[in-house]
């Protein structure tokens, strides 16, 4: 045991200070031309500014919601860290943005998702600093807006709470990768089919891995939301996710 501890400490130091670049972002480091990288960064800024304002308001009105904010960020961090290689220059993973989007809205999730992607880029050596803007826009902005839209439509149409949560999380996940396919198609149009041909190629490859992942994420989000409904009903009512009579 005495000989084992120094070895474990040595490998811990190596892993901590000498991380190997994993190129694990869904658009990997350096893959986009510089013009597109700057464009997506710029497009994200208004959403992040608005998101910070909304977070400040939510925390001020409902201080007890901080735990749910932390849960939403942690859920996104864990799920989106599960990387599956997809095509050259990209990979697939669950996004985990549906839960936080339903609880706090798309602008809050744009900030939480951006923090998650930045931490993964730096602390987990997943790469993607130059493509961070594009990845934020697809996963932390487009995905949450789709999730919230689907959730509101589903509840308006009278679908059950669990079905609404499942559809929101699943389609928010799929929407992220549809947007990623658009981003890659715009940057790398096909010589034959142009942007549309390139989009079809990227989307078809993503679909093989992303559809089962999206279904799994939808089911997992329902489980987490049912748990919150059981033990955190008061917070869900305060956040206007559920009405008081449903408790």
């Amino acid at each position: 045991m005495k000989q084992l501890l120094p070895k474990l400490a040595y490998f811990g130091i190596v892993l901590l200070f000498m991380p190997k670049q994993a190129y694990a972002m869904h658009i990997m480091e350096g893959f986009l031309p510089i013009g597109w990288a700057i464009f997506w960064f710029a497009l994200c800024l208004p959403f992040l500014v608005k998101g910070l304002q909304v977070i400040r308001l939510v925390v001020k009105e409902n201080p007890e919601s901080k735990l749910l904010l932390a849960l939403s960020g942690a859920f996104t961090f864990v799920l989106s860290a599960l990387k599956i290689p997809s095509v050259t220059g990209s990979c697939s993973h669950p996004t985990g943005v549906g839960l936080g989007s339903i609880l706090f809205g798309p602008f809050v999730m744009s900030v939480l998702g951006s923090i998650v992607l930045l931490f993964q880029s730096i602390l987990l050596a997943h790469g993607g600093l130059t493509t961070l803007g594009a990845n934020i826009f697809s996963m932390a902005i487009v995905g949450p807006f789709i999730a919230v839209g689907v959730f509101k439509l589903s509840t308006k149409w009278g679908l059950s709470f669990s079905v609404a949560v499942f559809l929101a999380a699943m389609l928010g996940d799929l929407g992220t990768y549809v947007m990623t396919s658009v981003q890659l198609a715009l940057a790398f149009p096909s010589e034959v089919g142009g942007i549309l041909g390139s989009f079809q190629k990227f989307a078809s490859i993503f679909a093989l891995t992303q559809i089962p992942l999206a279904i799994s994420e939808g089911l997992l989000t329902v489980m987490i939301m049912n748990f919150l409904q059981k033990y955190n009903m008061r917070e869900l009512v305060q956040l206007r996710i559920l009405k008081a009579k449903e408790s």
Side-chain angles (χ1 to χ4, degrees), residues 10 19 45 62 67 92 98 102 119 130 144 146 155 163 198 200 235:
Y10 170 77
L45 290 178
N62 301 298
L67 283 177
S92 289
I102 294 169
F119 275 23
T130 61
I146 291 175
T155 52
V163 172
S198 183
Q200 290 174 338
E235 287 81 357

Side-chain angles (χ1 to χ4, degrees), residues 11-126:
F11 284 114
I13 293 172
V14 169
L15 290 173
L16 184 63
F17 294 103
M18 299 178 63
K20 184 178 179 181
Q21 191 69 267
Y23 297 104
M25 283 291 162
H26 55 263
I27 299 180
M28 75 176 188
E29 183 68 62
F31 194 67
L32 288 179
I34 185 65
W36 281 111
I38 294 173
F39 172 78
W40 293 115
F41 266 116
L43 206 56
C44 291
L45 290 178
F47 295 93
L48 298 179
V49 172
K50 178 67 176 176
L52 289 172
Q53 294 173 343
V54 176
I55 288 177
R56 188 180 304 167
L57 185 64
V58 168
V59 171
K60 182 179 179 181
E61 291 182 348
N62 301 298
E64 59 276 14
S65 65
K66 290 178 183 176
L67 283 177
L68 289 182
L69 269 173
L71 172 67
S72 300
F75 186 72
T76 302
F77 184 86
V78 171
L79 260 66
S80 60
L82 304 173
K83 312 293 186 182
I84 299 174
S86 180
V87 293
T88 301
S90 65
C91 76
S92 289
H93 56 80
T95 65
V97 297
L99 179 69
S101 302
I102 294 169
L103 290 174
F104 296 103
F107 289 106
V108 170
M109 209 57 223
S110 70
V111 176
L112 295 182
S114 300
I115 294 171
V116 164
L117 289 171
L118 182 62
F119 275 23
Q120 289 176 351
S121 295
I122 298 173
L123 299 181
L124 299 186
H126 282 181

Side-chain angles (χ1 to χ4, degrees), residues 127-138:
L129 285 174
T130 61
T131 57
L132 190 61
N135 290 328
I136 286 174
F137 190 80
S138 59

